[in-house]
Amino acid sequence: EVQLQESGPGLVKPSQSLSLTCSVTGYSITSNYWGWIRKFPGNKMEWMGYISYSGSTSYNPSLKSRISITRDTSKNQFFLQLNSVTTEDTATYYCARESRTMGMDYWGQGVMVTVSS
Amino acid sequence: DIQMTQSPASLSASLGETVSIECLASEGISNDLAWYQQKSGKSPQLLIYAASRLQDGVPSRFSGSGSGTRYSLKISGMQPEDEADYFCQQSYKYPLTFGSGTKLEIK
């Protein structure tokens, strides 16, 4: 069974970097696409970006140059780094397996991140 | 970006009632649309992909339809476990975008 689990700090100070890990079991991240999605207070959902089976990446332009998604295939993990965070980055962050034609079929349980001093 | 306008924002239904939720895309998305259910405190679950294909394990009372810019999710016979938030999401163009969500409650 495919399982994803996010981990990382729940509190980040403004202007610092947010770093999260998604650990995948039951499926290799060298197949498919692996994305990060966040849900803001008030329920708005935002797709942040993905890393592909080959290691290529695609990011939401709204995040400009603040975002980086990388991976460690030996550990079957992929990572989110979001720089220069503000209180507007407070959200629940999810990782998911994504497909253009078949939706996001597996999700992690989510990690709530609060940006506050 | 493709804007997804979802309606209604909230909905109350009786057990056994049929309910519909709609998403209107700002441009044609060629059936590249998914629907998700999110129960309180849980992660989203894929219900429908490619506008009308039922994800494995999802009850057949859920169905999706639509084309072009208009898509809908139907629940035929509301059940207690269907109380949740529902989102649409387009995958026709990057960045992927979501509808604003519908909160479905039991009347």
Side-chain angles (χ1 to χ4, degrees), chain A residues 37 39 43 45 47 50 60-61 94 98 100-105 107-108, chain B residues 32 36 38 42-44 46 49 55 85 87 89 91-92 94-96 98:
Chain A
I37 303 98
K39 187 175 185 182
N43 271 2
M45 298 275 281
W47 174 81
Y50 73 65
N60 194 321
Y94 296 96
E98 62 175 77
R100 178 173 178 175
T101 56
M102 298 181 69
M104 300 176 190
D105 57 353
W107 294 67
Chain B
D32 287 336
Y36 301 87
Q38 187 172 25
K42 301 292 187 182
S43 56
L46 177 66
Y49 63 93
Q55 175 68 356
D85 292 332
F87 292 88
Q89 174 246 317
S91 57
Y92 182 68
Y94 284 94
L96 308 182
F98 291 84

PDB file of all heavy atoms in Angstrom, chain A residues 37 39 43 45 47 50 60-61 94 98 100-105 107-108, chain B residues 32 36 38 42-44 46 49 55 85 87 89 91-92 94-96 98:
ATOM      1  N   ILE A  37       1.010  20.432  -1.609  1.00  0.00           N
ATOM      2  CA  ILE A  37      -0.226  21.221  -1.650  1.00  0.00           C
ATOM      3  C   ILE A  37      -0.443  21.773  -0.247  1.00  0.00           C
ATOM      4  O   ILE A  37      -0.121  21.109   0.744  1.00  0.00           O
ATOM      5  CB  ILE A  37      -1.438  20.328  -2.029  1.00  0.00           C
ATOM      6  CG1 ILE A  37      -1.201  19.630  -3.361  1.00  0.00           C
ATOM      7  CG2 ILE A  37      -2.725  21.132  -2.056  1.00  0.00           C
ATOM      8  CD1 ILE A  37      -0.699  18.193  -3.240  1.00  0.00           C
ATOM      9  N   LYS A  39      -3.224  23.973   2.458  1.00  0.00           N
ATOM     10  CA  LYS A  39      -4.584  24.420   2.723  1.00  0.00           C
ATOM     11  C   LYS A  39      -4.525  25.488   3.795  1.00  0.00           C
ATOM     12  O   LYS A  39      -4.060  25.234   4.916  1.00  0.00           O
ATOM     13  CB  LYS A  39      -5.462  23.260   3.191  1.00  0.00           C
ATOM     14  CG  LYS A  39      -6.924  23.624   3.314  1.00  0.00           C
ATOM     15  CD  LYS A  39      -7.756  22.406   3.663  1.00  0.00           C
ATOM     16  CE  LYS A  39      -9.229  22.740   3.672  1.00  0.00           C
ATOM     17  NZ  LYS A  39     -10.059  21.578   4.062  1.00  0.00           N
ATOM     18  N   ASN A  43      -9.820  27.481   4.301  1.00  0.00           N
ATOM     19  CA  ASN A  43     -10.078  26.380   3.362  1.00  0.00           C
ATOM     20  C   ASN A  43      -9.542  26.503   1.954  1.00  0.00           C
ATOM     21  O   ASN A  43      -9.698  25.572   1.182  1.00  0.00           O
ATOM     22  CB  ASN A  43     -11.574  26.056   3.291  1.00  0.00           C
ATOM     23  CG  ASN A  43     -11.964  25.032   4.317  1.00  0.00           C
ATOM     24  OD1 ASN A  43     -11.134  24.584   5.098  1.00  0.00           O
ATOM     25  ND2 ASN A  43     -13.228  24.660   4.315  1.00  0.00           N
ATOM     26  N   MET A  45      -7.239  25.986  -1.065  1.00  0.00           N
ATOM     27  CA  MET A  45      -6.194  25.009  -1.363  1.00  0.00           C
ATOM     28  C   MET A  45      -5.282  25.588  -2.435  1.00  0.00           C
ATOM     29  O   MET A  45      -5.755  26.166  -3.421  1.00  0.00           O
ATOM     30  CB  MET A  45      -6.805  23.704  -1.905  1.00  0.00           C
ATOM     31  CG  MET A  45      -7.715  22.999  -0.943  1.00  0.00           C
ATOM     32  SD  MET A  45      -6.842  21.946   0.176  1.00  0.00           S
ATOM     33  CE  MET A  45      -6.549  20.542  -0.888  1.00  0.00           C
ATOM     34  N   TRP A  47      -1.875  24.490  -4.906  1.00  0.00           N
ATOM     35  CA  TRP A  47      -0.843  23.578  -5.381  1.00  0.00           C
ATOM     36  C   TRP A  47       0.468  24.341  -5.406  1.00  0.00           C
ATOM     37  O   TRP A  47       0.531  25.442  -5.982  1.00  0.00           O
ATOM     38  CB  TRP A  47      -1.193  23.066  -6.769  1.00  0.00           C
ATOM     39  CG  TRP A  47      -0.132  22.241  -7.403  1.00  0.00           C
ATOM     40  CD1 TRP A  47       0.130  20.930  -7.191  1.00  0.00           C
ATOM     41  CD2 TRP A  47       0.819  22.674  -8.379  1.00  0.00           C
ATOM     42  NE1 TRP A  47       1.184  20.513  -7.969  1.00  0.00           N
ATOM     43  CE2 TRP A  47       1.626  21.564  -8.708  1.00  0.00           C
ATOM     44  CE3 TRP A  47       1.083  23.899  -9.015  1.00  0.00           C
ATOM     45  CZ2 TRP A  47       2.660  21.634  -9.634  1.00  0.00           C
ATOM     46  CZ3 TRP A  47       2.104  23.984  -9.935  1.00  0.00           C
ATOM     47  CH2 TRP A  47       2.892  22.854 -10.241  1.00  0.00           C
ATOM     48  N   TYR A  50       5.677  20.262  -7.930  1.00  0.00           N
ATOM     49  CA  TYR A  50       5.955  18.828  -7.921  1.00  0.00           C
ATOM     50  C   TYR A  50       7.405  18.563  -8.277  1.00  0.00           C
ATOM     51  O   TYR A  50       8.099  19.413  -8.851  1.00  0.00           O
ATOM     52  CB  TYR A  50       5.027  18.065  -8.869  1.00  0.00           C
ATOM     53  CG  TYR A  50       5.288  18.231 -10.371  1.00  0.00           C
ATOM     54  CD1 TYR A  50       6.468  17.783 -10.971  1.00  0.00           C
ATOM     55  CD2 TYR A  50       4.332  18.807 -11.191  1.00  0.00           C
ATOM     56  CE1 TYR A  50       6.699  17.938 -12.325  1.00  0.00           C
ATOM     57  CE2 TYR A  50       4.548  18.964 -12.548  1.00  0.00           C
ATOM     58  CZ  TYR A  50       5.727  18.525 -13.113  1.00  0.00           C
ATOM     59  OH  TYR A  50       5.957  18.674 -14.468  1.00  0.00           O
ATOM     60  N   ASN A  60       4.529  26.555  -8.649  1.00  0.00           N
ATOM     61  CA  ASN A  60       3.500  27.559  -8.829  1.00  0.00           C
ATOM     62  C   ASN A  60       4.184  28.929  -8.929  1.00  0.00           C
ATOM     63  O   ASN A  60       4.934  29.313  -8.035  1.00  0.00           O
ATOM     64  CB  ASN A  60       2.521  27.531  -7.651  1.00  0.00           C
ATOM     65  CG  ASN A  60       1.254  28.313  -7.922  1.00  0.00           C
ATOM     66  OD1 ASN A  60       1.284  29.368  -8.528  1.00  0.00           O
ATOM     67  ND2 ASN A  60       0.135  27.784  -7.466  1.00  0.00           N
ATOM     68  N   PRO A  61       3.922  29.663 -10.001  1.00  0.00           N
ATOM     69  CA  PRO A  61       4.558  30.984 -10.149  1.00  0.00           C
ATOM     70  C   PRO A  61       4.262  31.935  -8.986  1.00  0.00           C
ATOM     71  O   PRO A  61       5.037  32.862  -8.744  1.00  0.00           O
ATOM     72  CB  PRO A  61       3.959  31.512 -11.457  1.00  0.00           C
ATOM     73  CG  PRO A  61       3.577  30.290 -12.217  1.00  0.00           C
ATOM     74  CD  PRO A  61       3.131  29.295 -11.189  1.00  0.00           C
ATOM     75  N   TYR A  94       0.446  19.414   2.744  1.00  0.00           N
ATOM     76  CA  TYR A  94       0.265  18.018   2.369  1.00  0.00           C
ATOM     77  C   TYR A  94       1.238  17.655   1.252  1.00  0.00           C
ATOM     78  O   TYR A  94       1.514  18.472   0.369  1.00  0.00           O
ATOM     79  CB  TYR A  94      -1.147  17.785   1.817  1.00  0.00           C
ATOM     80  CG  TYR A  94      -2.269  18.009   2.787  1.00  0.00           C
ATOM     81  CD1 TYR A  94      -2.946  19.228   2.830  1.00  0.00           C
ATOM     82  CD2 TYR A  94      -2.700  16.999   3.642  1.00  0.00           C
ATOM     83  CE1 TYR A  94      -3.998  19.443   3.701  1.00  0.00           C
ATOM     84  CE2 TYR A  94      -3.766  17.198   4.519  1.00  0.00           C
ATOM     85  CZ  TYR A  94      -4.395  18.424   4.544  1.00  0.00           C
ATOM     86  OH  TYR A  94      -5.444  18.627   5.407  1.00  0.00           O
ATOM     87  N   GLU A  98       0.748  12.671  -7.550  1.00  0.00           N
ATOM     88  CA  GLU A  98      -0.148  13.327  -8.480  1.00  0.00           C
ATOM     89  C   GLU A  98       0.053  12.831  -9.899  1.00  0.00           C
ATOM     90  O   GLU A  98       1.125  12.405 -10.306  1.00  0.00           O
ATOM     91  CB  GLU A  98      -0.013  14.852  -8.418  1.00  0.00           C
ATOM     92  CG  GLU A  98       1.335  15.422  -8.786  1.00  0.00           C
ATOM     93  CD  GLU A  98       1.320  16.948  -8.806  1.00  0.00           C
ATOM     94  OE1 GLU A  98       1.344  17.563  -7.719  1.00  0.00           O
ATOM     95  OE2 GLU A  98       1.312  17.518  -9.925  1.00  0.00           O
ATOM     96  N   ARG A 100      -1.529  13.929 -13.945  1.00  0.00           N
ATOM     97  CA  ARG A 100      -2.354  14.886 -14.679  1.00  0.00           C
ATOM     98  C   ARG A 100      -3.702  14.273 -15.050  1.00  0.00           C
ATOM     99  O   ARG A 100      -4.726  14.947 -15.011  1.00  0.00           O
ATOM    100  CB  ARG A 100      -1.635  15.343 -15.943  1.00  0.00           C
ATOM    101  CG  ARG A 100      -2.483  16.299 -16.748  1.00  0.00           C
ATOM    102  CD  ARG A 100      -1.729  16.891 -17.894  1.00  0.00           C
ATOM    103  NE  ARG A 100      -2.610  17.763 -18.659  1.00  0.00           N
ATOM    104  CZ  ARG A 100      -2.222  18.502 -19.673  1.00  0.00           C
ATOM    105  NH1 ARG A 100      -0.956  18.487 -20.055  1.00  0.00           N
ATOM    106  NH2 ARG A 100      -3.074  19.258 -20.322  1.00  0.00           N
ATOM    107  N   THR A 101      -3.706  12.998 -15.362  1.00  0.00           N
ATOM    108  CA  THR A 101      -4.936  12.381 -15.860  1.00  0.00           C
ATOM    109  C   THR A 101      -5.720  11.637 -14.793  1.00  0.00           C
ATOM    110  O   THR A 101      -6.903  11.354 -14.995  1.00  0.00           O
ATOM    111  CB  THR A 101      -4.620  11.397 -16.998  1.00  0.00           C
ATOM    112  OG1 THR A 101      -3.669  10.440 -16.525  1.00  0.00           O
ATOM    113  CG2 THR A 101      -4.044  12.127 -18.195  1.00  0.00           C
ATOM    114  N   MET A 102      -5.081  11.339 -13.677  1.00  0.00           N
ATOM    115  CA  MET A 102      -5.748  10.505 -12.682  1.00  0.00           C
ATOM    116  C   MET A 102      -5.816  11.154 -11.303  1.00  0.00           C
ATOM    117  O   MET A 102      -6.074  10.476 -10.321  1.00  0.00           O
ATOM    118  CB  MET A 102      -5.068   9.145 -12.610  1.00  0.00           C
ATOM    119  CG  MET A 102      -5.150   8.379 -13.928  1.00  0.00           C
ATOM    120  SD  MET A 102      -4.378   6.777 -13.874  1.00  0.00           S
ATOM    121  CE  MET A 102      -5.491   5.909 -12.771  1.00  0.00           C
ATOM    122  N   GLY A 103      -5.576  12.431 -11.217  1.00  0.00           N
ATOM    123  CA  GLY A 103      -5.741  13.136  -9.964  1.00  0.00           C
ATOM    124  C   GLY A 103      -4.637  12.842  -8.961  1.00  0.00           C
ATOM    125  O   GLY A 103      -3.631  12.214  -9.260  1.00  0.00           O
ATOM    126  N   MET A 104      -4.868  13.314  -7.747  1.00  0.00           N
ATOM    127  CA  MET A 104      -3.924  13.090  -6.646  1.00  0.00           C
ATOM    128  C   MET A 104      -4.495  11.953  -5.814  1.00  0.00           C
ATOM    129  O   MET A 104      -5.438  12.148  -5.039  1.00  0.00           O
ATOM    130  CB  MET A 104      -3.779  14.366  -5.830  1.00  0.00           C
ATOM    131  CG  MET A 104      -3.258  15.529  -6.654  1.00  0.00           C
ATOM    132  SD  MET A 104      -3.202  17.055  -5.701  1.00  0.00           S
ATOM    133  CE  MET A 104      -2.851  18.241  -6.987  1.00  0.00           C
ATOM    134  N   ASP A 105      -3.945  10.754  -6.004  1.00  0.00           N
ATOM    135  CA  ASP A 105      -4.607   9.581  -5.453  1.00  0.00           C
ATOM    136  C   ASP A 105      -4.115   9.136  -4.084  1.00  0.00           C
ATOM    137  O   ASP A 105      -4.807   8.361  -3.416  1.00  0.00           O
ATOM    138  CB  ASP A 105      -4.565   8.418  -6.450  1.00  0.00           C
ATOM    139  CG  ASP A 105      -3.172   8.039  -6.876  1.00  0.00           C
ATOM    140  OD1 ASP A 105      -2.196   8.757  -6.516  1.00  0.00           O
ATOM    141  OD2 ASP A 105      -3.022   7.032  -7.598  1.00  0.00           O
ATOM    142  N   TRP A 107      -2.375  10.783  -0.439  1.00  0.00           N
ATOM    143  CA  TRP A 107      -2.007  11.986   0.299  1.00  0.00           C
ATOM    144  C   TRP A 107      -1.407  11.609   1.644  1.00  0.00           C
ATOM    145  O   TRP A 107      -1.772  10.594   2.238  1.00  0.00           O
ATOM    146  CB  TRP A 107      -3.247  12.836   0.573  1.00  0.00           C
ATOM    147  CG  TRP A 107      -3.914  13.424  -0.624  1.00  0.00           C
ATOM    148  CD1 TRP A 107      -4.569  12.748  -1.620  1.00  0.00           C
ATOM    149  CD2 TRP A 107      -4.047  14.802  -0.938  1.00  0.00           C
ATOM    150  NE1 TRP A 107      -5.086  13.630  -2.531  1.00  0.00           N
ATOM    151  CE2 TRP A 107      -4.788  14.905  -2.137  1.00  0.00           C
ATOM    152  CE3 TRP A 107      -3.629  15.991  -0.323  1.00  0.00           C
ATOM    153  CZ2 TRP A 107      -5.098  16.134  -2.735  1.00  0.00           C
ATOM    154  CZ3 TRP A 107      -3.936  17.209  -0.901  1.00  0.00           C
ATOM    155  CH2 TRP A 107      -4.666  17.278  -2.097  1.00  0.00           C
ATOM    156  N   GLY A 108      -0.539  12.467   2.125  1.00  0.00           N
ATOM    157  CA  GLY A 108      -0.095  12.345   3.504  1.00  0.00           C
ATOM    158  C   GLY A 108      -1.171  12.857   4.444  1.00  0.00           C
ATOM    159  O   GLY A 108      -2.196  13.393   4.007  1.00  0.00           O
TER     160      GLY A 108
ATOM    161  N   ASP B  32     -10.142  17.417 -17.691  1.00  0.00           N
ATOM    162  CA  ASP B  32      -9.047  17.199 -16.750  1.00  0.00           C
ATOM    163  C   ASP B  32      -9.434  17.751 -15.378  1.00  0.00           C
ATOM    164  O   ASP B  32      -8.901  18.752 -14.893  1.00  0.00           O
ATOM    165  CB  ASP B  32      -7.760  17.862 -17.250  1.00  0.00           C
ATOM    166  CG  ASP B  32      -7.153  17.120 -18.416  1.00  0.00           C
ATOM    167  OD1 ASP B  32      -7.418  15.904 -18.554  1.00  0.00           O
ATOM    168  OD2 ASP B  32      -6.421  17.739 -19.205  1.00  0.00           O
ATOM    169  N   TYR B  36     -12.505  15.773  -4.826  1.00  0.00           N
ATOM    170  CA  TYR B  36     -11.971  15.240  -3.579  1.00  0.00           C
ATOM    171  C   TYR B  36     -12.966  15.446  -2.448  1.00  0.00           C
ATOM    172  O   TYR B  36     -13.716  16.433  -2.432  1.00  0.00           O
ATOM    173  CB  TYR B  36     -10.658  15.935  -3.203  1.00  0.00           C
ATOM    174  CG  TYR B  36      -9.582  15.797  -4.239  1.00  0.00           C
ATOM    175  CD1 TYR B  36      -9.490  16.697  -5.290  1.00  0.00           C
ATOM    176  CD2 TYR B  36      -8.682  14.739  -4.194  1.00  0.00           C
ATOM    177  CE1 TYR B  36      -8.526  16.558  -6.263  1.00  0.00           C
ATOM    178  CE2 TYR B  36      -7.704  14.593  -5.163  1.00  0.00           C
ATOM    179  CZ  TYR B  36      -7.633  15.512  -6.194  1.00  0.00           C
ATOM    180  OH  TYR B  36      -6.667  15.366  -7.161  1.00  0.00           O
ATOM    181  N   GLN B  38     -12.955  15.722   1.761  1.00  0.00           N
ATOM    182  CA  GLN B  38     -12.098  15.880   2.917  1.00  0.00           C
ATOM    183  C   GLN B  38     -12.947  15.943   4.185  1.00  0.00           C
ATOM    184  O   GLN B  38     -13.716  16.888   4.381  1.00  0.00           O
ATOM    185  CB  GLN B  38     -11.221  17.119   2.831  1.00  0.00           C
ATOM    186  CG  GLN B  38     -10.207  17.207   3.962  1.00  0.00           C
ATOM    187  CD  GLN B  38      -9.205  18.322   3.808  1.00  0.00           C
ATOM    188  OE1 GLN B  38      -9.463  19.316   3.149  1.00  0.00           O
ATOM    189  NE2 GLN B  38      -8.033  18.157   4.419  1.00  0.00           N
ATOM    190  N   LYS B  42      -8.932  15.127   8.494  1.00  0.00           N
ATOM    191  CA  LYS B  42      -8.323  14.106   7.630  1.00  0.00           C
ATOM    192  C   LYS B  42      -7.757  14.736   6.373  1.00  0.00           C
ATOM    193  O   LYS B  42      -8.021  15.905   6.058  1.00  0.00           O
ATOM    194  CB  LYS B  42      -9.389  13.063   7.232  1.00  0.00           C
ATOM    195  CG  LYS B  42     -10.034  12.361   8.409  1.00  0.00           C
ATOM    196  CD  LYS B  42      -9.057  11.452   9.125  1.00  0.00           C
ATOM    197  CE  LYS B  42      -9.763  10.637  10.200  1.00  0.00           C
ATOM    198  NZ  LYS B  42      -8.824   9.774  10.943  1.00  0.00           N
ATOM    199  N   SER B  43      -6.989  13.984   5.629  1.00  0.00           N
ATOM    200  CA  SER B  43      -6.461  14.460   4.361  1.00  0.00           C
ATOM    201  C   SER B  43      -7.499  14.239   3.257  1.00  0.00           C
ATOM    202  O   SER B  43      -8.405  13.414   3.400  1.00  0.00           O
ATOM    203  CB  SER B  43      -5.153  13.748   4.035  1.00  0.00           C
ATOM    204  OG  SER B  43      -5.335  12.362   4.037  1.00  0.00           O
ATOM    205  N   PRO B  44      -7.398  14.987   2.158  1.00  0.00           N
ATOM    206  CA  PRO B  44      -8.337  14.793   1.042  1.00  0.00           C
ATOM    207  C   PRO B  44      -8.250  13.377   0.470  1.00  0.00           C
ATOM    208  O   PRO B  44      -7.186  12.763   0.472  1.00  0.00           O
ATOM    209  CB  PRO B  44      -7.869  15.834   0.024  1.00  0.00           C
ATOM    210  CG  PRO B  44      -7.173  16.870   0.829  1.00  0.00           C
ATOM    211  CD  PRO B  44      -6.490  16.124   1.934  1.00  0.00           C
ATOM    212  N   LEU B  46      -9.358  11.213  -3.063  1.00  0.00           N
ATOM    213  CA  LEU B  46      -9.793  11.304  -4.446  1.00  0.00           C
ATOM    214  C   LEU B  46     -11.074  10.511  -4.652  1.00  0.00           C
ATOM    215  O   LEU B  46     -11.147   9.326  -4.311  1.00  0.00           O
ATOM    216  CB  LEU B  46      -8.690  10.778  -5.364  1.00  0.00           C
ATOM    217  CG  LEU B  46      -8.983  10.735  -6.862  1.00  0.00           C
ATOM    218  CD1 LEU B  46      -9.153  12.144  -7.429  1.00  0.00           C
ATOM    219  CD2 LEU B  46      -7.843  10.008  -7.587  1.00  0.00           C
ATOM    220  N   TYR B  49     -11.849  11.187 -11.052  1.00  0.00           N
ATOM    221  CA  TYR B  49     -10.816  11.791 -11.887  1.00  0.00           C
ATOM    222  C   TYR B  49     -11.277  11.757 -13.337  1.00  0.00           C
ATOM    223  O   TYR B  49     -12.248  11.057 -13.674  1.00  0.00           O
ATOM    224  CB  TYR B  49      -9.453  11.087 -11.710  1.00  0.00           C
ATOM    225  CG  TYR B  49      -9.455   9.631 -12.132  1.00  0.00           C
ATOM    226  CD1 TYR B  49      -9.079   9.267 -13.424  1.00  0.00           C
ATOM    227  CD2 TYR B  49      -9.843   8.631 -11.251  1.00  0.00           C
ATOM    228  CE1 TYR B  49      -9.081   7.943 -13.820  1.00  0.00           C
ATOM    229  CE2 TYR B  49      -9.858   7.305 -11.641  1.00  0.00           C
ATOM    230  CZ  TYR B  49      -9.465   6.967 -12.923  1.00  0.00           C
ATOM    231  OH  TYR B  49      -9.489   5.655 -13.320  1.00  0.00           O
ATOM    232  N   GLN B  55     -12.850   6.652  -8.694  1.00  0.00           N
ATOM    233  CA  GLN B  55     -11.642   6.079  -8.116  1.00  0.00           C
ATOM    234  C   GLN B  55     -11.977   4.741  -7.456  1.00  0.00           C
ATOM    235  O   GLN B  55     -13.075   4.557  -6.889  1.00  0.00           O
ATOM    236  CB  GLN B  55     -11.042   7.049  -7.089  1.00  0.00           C
ATOM    237  CG  GLN B  55      -9.847   6.564  -6.322  1.00  0.00           C
ATOM    238  CD  GLN B  55      -8.594   6.392  -7.162  1.00  0.00           C
ATOM    239  OE1 GLN B  55      -8.610   6.574  -8.370  1.00  0.00           O
ATOM    240  NE2 GLN B  55      -7.485   6.092  -6.516  1.00  0.00           N
ATOM    241  N   ASP B  85     -16.126  18.183   3.448  1.00  0.00           N
ATOM    242  CA  ASP B  85     -15.854  19.248   2.470  1.00  0.00           C
ATOM    243  C   ASP B  85     -15.506  18.579   1.145  1.00  0.00           C
ATOM    244  O   ASP B  85     -14.848  17.524   1.115  1.00  0.00           O
ATOM    245  CB  ASP B  85     -14.686  20.121   2.920  1.00  0.00           C
ATOM    246  CG  ASP B  85     -15.017  20.956   4.139  1.00  0.00           C
ATOM    247  OD1 ASP B  85     -16.203  21.285   4.338  1.00  0.00           O
ATOM    248  OD2 ASP B  85     -14.083  21.288   4.893  1.00  0.00           O
ATOM    249  N   PHE B  87     -13.926  19.323  -2.880  1.00  0.00           N
ATOM    250  CA  PHE B  87     -13.170  20.257  -3.716  1.00  0.00           C
ATOM    251  C   PHE B  87     -13.072  19.708  -5.132  1.00  0.00           C
ATOM    252  O   PHE B  87     -12.929  18.500  -5.324  1.00  0.00           O
ATOM    253  CB  PHE B  87     -11.722  20.386  -3.212  1.00  0.00           C
ATOM    254  CG  PHE B  87     -11.579  21.050  -1.878  1.00  0.00           C
ATOM    255  CD1 PHE B  87     -11.645  20.309  -0.709  1.00  0.00           C
ATOM    256  CD2 PHE B  87     -11.336  22.406  -1.791  1.00  0.00           C
ATOM    257  CE1 PHE B  87     -11.502  20.916   0.532  1.00  0.00           C
ATOM    258  CE2 PHE B  87     -11.182  23.024  -0.558  1.00  0.00           C
ATOM    259  CZ  PHE B  87     -11.266  22.270   0.598  1.00  0.00           C
ATOM    260  N   GLN B  89     -10.646  20.141  -8.718  1.00  0.00           N
ATOM    261  CA  GLN B  89      -9.270  20.532  -9.061  1.00  0.00           C
ATOM    262  C   GLN B  89      -9.035  20.266 -10.537  1.00  0.00           C
ATOM    263  O   GLN B  89      -9.327  19.173 -11.019  1.00  0.00           O
ATOM    264  CB  GLN B  89      -8.274  19.729  -8.220  1.00  0.00           C
ATOM    265  CG  GLN B  89      -6.808  19.925  -8.577  1.00  0.00           C
ATOM    266  CD  GLN B  89      -6.184  18.670  -9.132  1.00  0.00           C
ATOM    267  OE1 GLN B  89      -6.405  17.567  -8.636  1.00  0.00           O
ATOM    268  NE2 GLN B  89      -5.372  18.805 -10.177  1.00  0.00           N
ATOM    269  N   SER B  91      -6.508  19.866 -13.832  1.00  0.00           N
ATOM    270  CA  SER B  91      -5.123  19.496 -14.153  1.00  0.00           C
ATOM    271  C   SER B  91      -4.844  19.734 -15.633  1.00  0.00           C
ATOM    272  O   SER B  91      -3.935  19.127 -16.205  1.00  0.00           O
ATOM    273  CB  SER B  91      -4.850  18.045 -13.774  1.00  0.00           C
ATOM    274  OG  SER B  91      -5.762  17.187 -14.415  1.00  0.00           O
ATOM    275  N   TYR B  92      -5.646  20.603 -16.253  1.00  0.00           N
ATOM    276  CA  TYR B  92      -5.466  20.878 -17.678  1.00  0.00           C
ATOM    277  C   TYR B  92      -4.229  21.720 -17.931  1.00  0.00           C
ATOM    278  O   TYR B  92      -3.520  21.531 -18.926  1.00  0.00           O
ATOM    279  CB  TYR B  92      -6.715  21.568 -18.217  1.00  0.00           C
ATOM    280  CG  TYR B  92      -6.682  21.855 -19.692  1.00  0.00           C
ATOM    281  CD1 TYR B  92      -6.710  20.826 -20.612  1.00  0.00           C
ATOM    282  CD2 TYR B  92      -6.623  23.172 -20.162  1.00  0.00           C
ATOM    283  CE1 TYR B  92      -6.675  21.088 -21.976  1.00  0.00           C
ATOM    284  CE2 TYR B  92      -6.585  23.445 -21.512  1.00  0.00           C
ATOM    285  CZ  TYR B  92      -6.616  22.396 -22.407  1.00  0.00           C
ATOM    286  OH  TYR B  92      -6.580  22.661 -23.747  1.00  0.00           O
ATOM    287  N   TYR B  94      -0.897  23.953 -15.858  1.00  0.00           N
ATOM    288  CA  TYR B  94      -0.200  24.359 -14.646  1.00  0.00           C
ATOM    289  C   TYR B  94      -0.213  25.880 -14.539  1.00  0.00           C
ATOM    290  O   TYR B  94      -0.143  26.568 -15.563  1.00  0.00           O
ATOM    291  CB  TYR B  94       1.237  23.835 -14.664  1.00  0.00           C
ATOM    292  CG  TYR B  94       1.291  22.362 -14.356  1.00  0.00           C
ATOM    293  CD1 TYR B  94       1.289  21.408 -15.371  1.00  0.00           C
ATOM    294  CD2 TYR B  94       1.293  21.902 -13.037  1.00  0.00           C
ATOM    295  CE1 TYR B  94       1.317  20.058 -15.092  1.00  0.00           C
ATOM    296  CE2 TYR B  94       1.321  20.551 -12.745  1.00  0.00           C
ATOM    297  CZ  TYR B  94       1.338  19.627 -13.773  1.00  0.00           C
ATOM    298  OH  TYR B  94       1.354  18.291 -13.486  1.00  0.00           O
ATOM    299  N   PRO B  95      -0.329  26.417 -13.324  1.00  0.00           N
ATOM    300  CA  PRO B  95      -0.407  25.693 -12.054  1.00  0.00           C
ATOM    301  C   PRO B  95      -1.768  25.039 -11.845  1.00  0.00           C
ATOM    302  O   PRO B  95      -2.797  25.573 -12.242  1.00  0.00           O
ATOM    303  CB  PRO B  95      -0.193  26.793 -11.011  1.00  0.00           C
ATOM    304  CG  PRO B  95      -0.726  28.019 -11.669  1.00  0.00           C
ATOM    305  CD  PRO B  95      -0.399  27.880 -13.127  1.00  0.00           C
ATOM    306  N   LEU B  96      -1.750  23.845 -11.256  1.00  0.00           N
ATOM    307  CA  LEU B  96      -2.990  23.198 -10.890  1.00  0.00           C
ATOM    308  C   LEU B  96      -3.758  24.121  -9.946  1.00  0.00           C
ATOM    309  O   LEU B  96      -3.167  24.795  -9.098  1.00  0.00           O
ATOM    310  CB  LEU B  96      -2.710  21.873 -10.191  1.00  0.00           C
ATOM    311  CG  LEU B  96      -1.766  20.897 -10.912  1.00  0.00           C
ATOM    312  CD1 LEU B  96      -1.633  19.602 -10.105  1.00  0.00           C
ATOM    313  CD2 LEU B  96      -2.243  20.623 -12.326  1.00  0.00           C
ATOM    314  N   PHE B  98      -7.572  24.725  -7.585  1.00  0.00           N
ATOM    315  CA  PHE B  98      -8.684  24.092  -6.884  1.00  0.00           C
ATOM    316  C   PHE B  98      -9.880  25.034  -6.814  1.00  0.00           C
ATOM    317  O   PHE B  98      -9.731  26.270  -6.824  1.00  0.00           O
ATOM    318  CB  PHE B  98      -8.276  23.763  -5.442  1.00  0.00           C
ATOM    319  CG  PHE B  98      -7.251  22.678  -5.305  1.00  0.00           C
ATOM    320  CD1 PHE B  98      -5.900  22.961  -5.426  1.00  0.00           C
ATOM    321  CD2 PHE B  98      -7.638  21.372  -5.033  1.00  0.00           C
ATOM    322  CE1 PHE B  98      -4.950  21.960  -5.286  1.00  0.00           C
ATOM    323  CE2 PHE B  98      -6.699  20.359  -4.887  1.00  0.00           C
ATOM    324  CZ  PHE B  98      -5.351  20.660  -5.015  1.00  0.00           C
TER     325      PHE B  98
END
